Structures are given as C-alpha cells and as structure tokens.
C-alpha cells in the first residue's frame, strides 16, 4: 500500500519556467490537499479538493493552479515559477474534509527556483 | 478560526514522558483538537485527535481540559525517534469555506539519551 505518492521528489526550475507537481493516492480518499513548507515554518495550505470535481483556495493560492484529474490524482501547476516559490511541497489526502478524519501526507517535493 | 499556541521548543530525556502543551482558548464547541508530528523533513504524520474526552492510542495520550481551552499530548516513554516538530491543530469549523487542517509552527521536541 503506497499511500500518497508525489513526483518528482526534487526539481530545480529557472524563473519563468512552468511545471506540474503530481500527486496520487491509493486509499480511495475523497479529499486531497496541497501544502507548502518554507524553512523554519509550518505548513501552509495552497489549494484543496473536497471531492472529485471540486477545488478551493487555501491560505496561499496565488501563483498556483490545481486540477483534480480523478479521485486518485490531484496536480499542482506553477505557470511561471518565481524564486518565492522555492519550498517543499506536500500533498495529502483524507477520507473527507468535512469529517474529522486523519490525513495522510506524501514525502514531499523539494522545489528550487533560481 | 480557532488559534493554537505552543511553546517553540521542549527537551525530554529518553525513557521519560514528554508532555507537550497547547492552548486553544477560542475553540468552538464542535471543533476537534488534532496532533500531528513531522520528523526531520518528512511529511507530517497523524498522532491523535479528540473532542472532549481524553483519548489514548498506541502512540500517545491526549488530555483535554474540561473547559477545552487547552490540551496536552503525552508521549509516555519518549525515544530518540520521537524527536520531531509536533503540531497542535484545531479543526476549523467545517461549515466555513476553505476549511482544512491549518498548521502553525509547532513545538520542536528534542529527545536526548
């Protein structure tokens, strides 16, 4: 049971380049999330998807777009990367966002924008 | 949103109980208290959650005060592998838009031999 899988694990981008971070879960969860974590900081919510076909903004959505491709997959896209987006990105999933349930996290994507 | 306050860091000797406090004085009646931890740079890991009553599982115990304005996470016999950042999170009212787990800066627990 893989849980939550993120790809890639590491990425270096030049300013202005675009890329998509992939996330997939195999637990049949309804809700999925994208967080970013900067050095010495807690996690900040970028976007989340309460269920297949829906997405909502979190605390820091600017500069990002998301797609809930199907129930398993939730991708995060940076259209024009900026150095301020250098961070570690975590994807998570849970049975339901409206329910008080446990969330499972991936191992993170370490992104550097130069 | 209910906010949480945690000490930035704590130390604990290996084998002793680690008691991590959290204040959440503005918590609403239907909001749960969650605890997660993050070891090194890995993804956060769920520990425990509760509403009113004390809770215990194989990892830890959660003690919530009667007025629900504070709680304590107890790791009964801390090991070196428990060194991590511990996050206390109050589950945002699910009736509000944009709800999900909101993390603060947490408490860095250092367990030493």
């Amino acid at each position: 049971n893989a849980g939550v899988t993120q790809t890639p694990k590491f990425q270096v981008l030049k300013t202005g380049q675009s890329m998509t971070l992939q996330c997939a879960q195999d637990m049949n969860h309804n809700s999925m999330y994208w967080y970013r974590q900067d050095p010495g900081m807690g996690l900040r919510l970028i976007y989340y998807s309460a269920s297949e076909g829906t997405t909502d903004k979190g605390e820091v959505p600017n500069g990002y777009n998301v797609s809930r491709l199907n129930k398993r997959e939730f991708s995060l896209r940076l259209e024009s990367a900026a150095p301020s987006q250098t961070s570690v990105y975590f994807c998570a999933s849970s049975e339901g966002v409206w329910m008080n349930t446990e969330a499972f996290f991936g191992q993170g994507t370490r992104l550097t924008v130069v | 949103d209910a906010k949480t306050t945690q000490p930035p860091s704590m130390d604990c000797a290996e084998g002793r109980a680690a008691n991590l406090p959290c204040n959440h004085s503005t918590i609403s009646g239907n909001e749960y208290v969650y605890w997660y931890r993050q070891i090194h740079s890995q993804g956060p890991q769920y520990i425990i959650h509760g509403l009113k009553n004390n809770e215990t599982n194989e990892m830890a115990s959660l003690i919530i005060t009667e007025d629900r304005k504070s709680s304590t996470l107890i790791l009964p016999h801390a090991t070196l592998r428990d060194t991590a950042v511990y996050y206390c999170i109050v589950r945002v009212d699910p009736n509000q838009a944009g709800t999900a787990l909101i993390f603060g800066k947490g408490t860095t627990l250092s367990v030493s031999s």
Side-chain angles (χ1 to χ4, degrees), chain B residues 1 11 20-21 25-27 36 38 40 50 53 56 62 65 82-83 85 87 92 100-101 103 106 109:
Chain B
D1 299 351
D11 295 319
L20 290 87
S25 58
T26 60
I27 192 170
Y36 280 74
Q38 188 174 24
H40 194 43
N53 300 322
T56 296
L62 174 61
T65 57
D82 291 321
T83 293
V85 178
Y87 297 99
V92 178
L101 290 173
F103 289 75
L109 175 68

Side-chain angles (χ1 to χ4, degrees), chain A:
Chain A
N1 188 344
V4 179
T5 303
Q6 294 182 232
T7 56
K9 288 184 171 53
F10 300 93
Q11 183 71 50
V12 178
L13 288 179
K14 294 182 178 179
T15 298
Q17 286 185 318
S18 62
M19 80 161 294
T20 300
L21 281 63
Q22 307 287 352
C23 176
Q25 51 92 9
D26 61 4
M27 295 171 283
N28 201 36
H29 284 165
N30 290 308
S31 302
M32 299 185 73
Y33 316 82
W34 277 105
Y35 289 87
R36 62 176 287 176
Q37 185 173 34
D38 300 319
M41 302 287 289
L43 283 80
R44 291 185 292 171
L45 181 66
I46 305 172
Y47 271 93
Y48 74 103
S49 171
S51 60
E52 186 178 356
T54 69
T55 61
D56 286 284
K57 295 178 180 179
E59 302 171 87
V60 289
N62 292 342
Y64 305 95
N65 287 301
V66 291
S67 295
R68 184 73 183 267
L69 304 171
N70 47 56
K71 193 171 186 179
R72 289 188 63 249
E73 299 172 290
F74 188 39
S75 63
L76 178 72
R77 182 161 179 84
L78 287 72
E79 290 292 351
S80 179
S84 61
Q85 294 178 305
T86 293
S87 190
V88 180
Y89 291 84
F90 289 100
C91 177
S93 72
S94 64
E95 189 175 322
V97 70
W98 308 118
M99 300 163 55
N100 289 293
T101 57
E102 174 184 355
F104 294 82
F105 284 79
Q107 289 304 299
T109 294
R110 284 151 181 78
L111 176 66
T112 301
V113 182
V114 297

Side-chain angles (χ1 to χ4, degrees), chain B residues 37-48:
Chain B
R37 73 180 183 183
Q38 188 174 24
I39 297 174
H40 194 43
S41 298
Q42 298 176 19
Q45 175 190 26
Y46 166 84
I47 301 173
I48 199 167

